[in-house]
Amino acid sequence: MYQLIRNILFWFTPEIAHELMMDMLSASQRLGLLTRLCKPVSFAPIDVMGLTFDNPVGLAAGLDKNGECIEAFGTLGFGWIEVGTVTPRPQLGNPKPRLFRIVEREAIINRMGFNNKGVDHLVENLKKTRYQGVVGVNIGKNRVTPVEEAESDYLTCLRKVYDYADYVAVNLSSPNTPELRQLQFGDTLKSLLGALKEEQDKLAKEYDKYIPLAIKLAPDMTDDEIRDIAAQLVAYEIDGVISTNTTLERDAVQGCENANEDGGLSGAPLTDLSTQKIRILAEALNRKLPIIGVGGIMDAQSAVDKIKAGASLVQIYSGFIYRGPDLIREVSEAVVACR
Ligand SMILES: Cc1cc2nc3c(=O)[nH]c(=O)nc-3n(C[C@H](O)[C@H](O)[C@H](O)COP(=O)(O)O)c2cc1C
């Protein structure tokens, strides 16, 4: 069934196909069709970061940036949903075209640049949703905010979403916002982590609930850089880490159409790179904080490899585009079986 839908969607440009998919999902959810069409994914609860996830497979950030289809993605079988990246003010993102398929490699290149309707719009959608599972909110900075002032954008988003998110993912790793990845290193990282923890502490008292913070990292760093970051995440008592975002590497797609487009590469060519980074991270963290593994999960085995490398949960984006909702059940069953 998904093969047919995919053939139709792939006939359109990737961004139009994305919009069509979101419209179709939202309409089928409203009409009650999704529940009838989808084979259920077994309830397989797992506790991570003090939260109970319905199953170990989440929707990765970027697909539902504005939180418009949360219930529909839940009905498709995801064990939890991460919405965003959202920024304090709405922004259009980069000029189109900015999303490219490399079908023969089951890959995507994107340079969307945090196109989103702003944090206030997202919060309204979070207030309305009837989804009962875990919803993470992924936050970022506006493009016009200088990187030296990024802290204030993250804090604004954290305050605004705190009462409506089950966890907050801090995106320091999109390659499509100039200089964003610098926030992953050195004193800049320390200062940002310190400010986020201080704000989390204040908000926990104000709302009388503790919302975990997870940091999302890039795959494009050396093992030593990963070890340094891991040490800081532990020192600042961050609650979790999401590894990885898209890569700037192009080796695995050399010679393919679109391979030279600027942006982050995801899907099958990212599988091994992101698993390697998870392994290094897991060794460095020594179980002091959990890892959410993401990057090129295209089948059950690639998810199991991430769990074996040290991830506690996994997320999917490109695999969902290429393989459809059946992948959620396949991956969930395999991860549950290997735990
Ligand atoms: C079109 C597109 C948009 C994305 N937007 C975001 C985003 O806004 N925030 C974010 O943290 N990650 C974003 N990502 C990265 C994914 O969440 C994920 O980390 C990455 O694609 C690797 O997983 P995958 O190989 O399963 O796609 C985006 C990915 C794609 C393909």
Side-chain angles (χ1 to χ4, degrees), residues 73-132:
F73 284 114
T75 307
L76 287 180
F78 282 107
W80 89 98
I81 319 292
E82 190 171 307
V83 295
T85 295
V86 74
T87 54
R89 290 166 299 287
Q91 61 179 28
L92 291 172
N94 288 321
K96 295 176 189 175
R98 53 193 179 175
L99 185 56
F100 307 87
R101 299 183 195 106
I102 304 179
V103 179
E104 65 271 40
R105 295 283 192 277
E106 293 195 309
I108 296 174
I109 291 178
N110 93 83
R111 50 169 180 270
M112 303 300 287
F114 294 166
N115 55 311
N116 78 102
K117 296 182 181 167
V119 66
D120 294 328
H121 180 87
L122 174 70
V123 165
E124 288 312 309
N125 284 340
L126 293 174
K127 284 182 192 166
K128 278 188 262 172
T129 185
R130 283 177 295 171
Y131 179 66
Q132 301 281 312

Side-chain angles (χ1 to χ4, degrees), residues 60-62 65 84-85 99 108 110 112 114 138 171 216 244-246 266-267 270 294-297 315-319:
K65 288 182 194 279
T85 295
L99 185 56
I108 296 174
N110 93 83
M112 303 300 287
F114 294 166
N138 183 306
N171 185 359
K216 186 162 177 180
T244 67
N245 213 313
T246 55
S266 58
L270 177 59
V294 52
I297 294 180
Q315 289 179 315
I316 297 175
Y317 188 134
S318 306

Side-chain angles (χ1 to χ4, degrees), residues 161-181:
V161 305
Y162 195 87
D163 202 21
Y164 307 98
D166 294 304
Y167 71 88
V168 174
V170 181
N171 185 359
L172 305 183
S173 47
S174 166
N176 302 315
T177 296
E179 301 179 311
L180 190 86
R181 286 181 167 196

Side-chain angles (χ1 to χ4, degrees), residues 281-336:
L281 197 54
E283 279 165 19
L285 290 170
N286 199 15
R287 295 177 184 274
K288 294 200 178 95
L289 59 150
I291 300 170
I292 298 175
V294 52
I297 294 180
M298 311 304 282
D299 53 21
Q301 190 57 48
S302 44
V304 167
D305 289 345
K306 285 193 167 40
I307 299 291
K308 289 192 173 152
S312 302
L313 298 165
V314 292
Q315 289 179 315
I316 297 175
Y317 188 134
S318 306
F320 177 75
I321 303 299
Y322 281 99
R323 303 279 168 97
D326 284 351
L327 181 64
I328 309 166
R329 194 178 55 257
E330 195 185 317
V331 167
S332 180
E333 284 170 3
V335 169
V336 169

